[in-house]
Amino acid sequence: SGFSDCHNGRLLITERSEDGDEVVKMSNITGECGQQFELPHGWTHNHTLVDTAALYGSEKAVGAAIKASGRPRADFFIITKPLTKALQRMLNGSNACARFDDQLHDLQTDHVEVLMYHHDGFDVADWKSMEAQVAAGHARALGVSSVVDAEAAAECYQNGDCNFPPVLVEDR
């Protein structure tokens, strides 16, 4: 099935082989705005882990693919990243989650499993905006994409300045 949107992103996909072993694959999706593209063969049949982001521009396509799969939402573990500092400036966002409702709408879901902090340098205000999404039930947990940010978030939590520690660290 094809989807038409602006995309430039990656899907990190976990498949289960016939013998039951987990295999993680990376799949790139690129295209010009309005261009038709195909998701990787079999994407809607075996994959459970989806890694996307506002920055990748692929959330609408990912949401459409999940819906088109016919599989229940519970079959998918979705990780997404809120607005980066650069996107916040471009879109006049007040914090990382200023447009998170739009991201959920594009993903066609009411929550993600992990909301991943994906910035250069830890910002307490952005982390708190992400914590608000956990408190509202729109994210199950928070993660970070660098060890440095993980240490800063953990320190913020230990000092009592933040309410949620990171539960996933993706060291880039």
Side-chain angles (χ1 to χ4, degrees):
S1 56
F3 299 90
S4 180
D5 203 344
C6 303
H7 356 262
N8 184 5
R10 67 182 175 146
L11 299 175
L12 181 62
I13 301 165
T14 301
E15 294 181 347
R16 192 153 305 276
S17 66
E18 288 181 19
D19 59 3
D21 293 332
E22 264 190 6
V23 180
V24 177
K25 295 181 177 181
M26 177 98 74
S27 179
N28 292 313
I29 294 178
T30 59
E32 298 299 319
C33 291
Q35 178 182 346
Q36 187 82 5
F37 81 100
E38 297 291 322
L39 287 173
H41 176 72
W43 186 83
T44 58
H45 299 291
N46 301 316
H47 306 82
T48 55
L49 176 62
V50 178
D51 182 3
T52 189
L55 181 63
Y56 303 163
S58 57
E59 290 174 326
K60 281 186 181 179
V62 168
I66 289 171
K67 183 177 181 180
S69 76
R71 292 174 55 200
R73 169 60 179 85
D75 284 358
F76 297 90
F77 188 97
I78 301 175
I79 299 171
T80 197
K81 296 142 196 99
L83 300 178
T84 61
K85 289 292 186 191
L87 280 176
Q88 287 176 48
R89 285 188 298 273
M90 279 180 22
L91 300 172
N92 297 315
S94 58
N95 60 57
C97 291
R99 300 209 175 210
F100 193 63
D101 287 343
D102 295 336
Q103 289 181 258
L104 291 175
H105 180 266
D106 289 348
L107 289 166
Q108 298 185 38
T109 188
D110 63 349
H111 74 281
V112 296
E113 280 61 40
V114 177
L115 185 54
M116 181 77 71
Y117 189 84
H118 195 59
H119 300 321
D120 295 326
F122 185 76
D123 182 283
V124 174
D126 282 340
W127 189 259
K128 286 187 169 291
S129 75
M130 293 169 59
E131 289 181 330
Q133 298 305 319
V134 174
H138 299 301
R140 302 285 187 247
L142 301 179
V144 294
S145 60
S146 78
V147 171
V148 172
D149 289 337
E151 291 169 351
E155 183 178 326
C156 186
Y157 175 72
Q158 290 166 349
N159 292 341
D161 297 324
C162 296
N163 298 315
F164 297 99
V167 298
L168 178 64
V169 178
E170 174 189 85
D171 194 26
R172 25 183 174 148

